[in-house]
Amino acid sequence: MWLTDFSTLLGSAAGSPPLEITTIILGTFILEDAATLLAAMQVAAGAVSLPIALGSLYAGIVLGDIGLYWLGRLSGRHPWAHRLVPQRRRDIGRDWVSVRIIPVVVVSRFIPGLRLPTYTTCGFLRAPFLAFVAAAILATLAWTSLLFFVSLKLGALMVHYLGPWRWVGLAVFVVILIMVGRVAARWHADRIGKDAL
């Protein structure tokens, strides 16, 4: 449902760069990987230009990442946070994350489901903000570019071969992406569990 609504909204914004930019940025706040796939499909169909789609995706995703960081940072000020996680433990966590901020952010970008808890935790622990932003930009450029250009190629093939049924192909691709993400997350968790032993 959301995919078709977003696609319709983006299609109706065609020809108005400010509306296209706004629609794509807002789409990344809801489901950024799906927004990336749909923006690529619209580029493949000729409805949106590549620079507008990719630039809007980068901007929206990085703004969303910064928002998650600050959400975590604000939650750290709440009295319940001080009761649940004593200051000493937060200091230990901050020291650990500060040294590993780039790999932590990059790994969480590539494994679906890890961004929300990881980025809010970085904010909660008061990890260095500028280092977090730099890592978020780096990870976004890598992941979003990869996903966008793979989706663009697939989108062009789907438009050509599937025509009006391209949305079925997109749905299958989204399901595959989610399944691969879950397998990767499970593999990563198993690897960390073995390393801890």
Side-chain angles (χ1 to χ4, degrees):
M1 175 83 177
W2 181 86
L3 295 173
T4 55
D5 291 343
F6 178 76
S7 180
T8 303
L9 189 60
L10 192 54
S12 65
S16 173
L19 282 176
E20 292 171 347
I21 292 167
T22 303
T23 302
I24 293 170
I25 288 174
L26 291 176
T28 64
F29 293 160
I30 298 168
L31 272 173
E32 59 192 45
D33 289 345
T36 302
L37 296 169
L38 289 169
M41 292 285 286
Q42 292 293 5
V43 170
V48 178
S49 75
L50 188 135
I52 285 178
L54 208 47
S56 301
L57 288 167
Y58 292 150
I61 291 170
V62 170
L63 286 173
D65 293 348
I66 291 170
L68 290 175
Y69 176 92
W70 281 104
L71 185 67
R73 188 99 175 228
L74 289 172
S75 71
R77 295 181 180 182
H78 199 277
W80 66 262
H82 297 283
R83 288 191 303 270
L84 288 175
V85 185
Q87 185 63 46
R88 182 177 173 283
R89 291 186 140 225
R90 279 188 278 160
D91 291 343
I92 292 168
R94 181 180 53 247
D95 293 344
W96 188 91
V97 168
S98 296
V99 173
R100 297 166 180 85
I101 191 79
I102 291 176
V104 164
V105 170
V106 169
V107 166
S108 65
R109 167 62 59 197
F110 281 84
I111 300 177
L114 287 184
R115 286 186 293 265
L116 173 67
T118 302
Y119 294 0
T120 53
T121 299
C122 286
F124 179 82
L125 295 174
R126 296 179 160 269
F129 179 67
L130 292 179
F132 173 84
V133 171
I137 290 170
L138 175 72
T140 298
L141 289 174
W143 171 249
T144 303
S145 298
L146 174 70
L147 182 59
F148 182 85
F149 286 109
V150 167
S151 302
L152 184 61
K153 186 68 173 170
L154 285 174
L157 292 171
M158 285 184 215
V159 166
H160 180 73
Y161 290 108
L162 299 178
W165 294 96
R166 67 184 177 268
W167 302 113
V168 174
L170 176 65
V172 170
F173 184 61
V174 168
V175 168
I176 290 169
L177 184 66
I178 291 168
M179 290 172 59
V180 167
R182 290 183 187 264
V183 169
R186 188 171 296 133
W187 174 80
H188 182 68
D190 289 345
R191 198 178 115 226
I192 288 174
K194 288 178 184 174
D195 289 346
L197 296 175

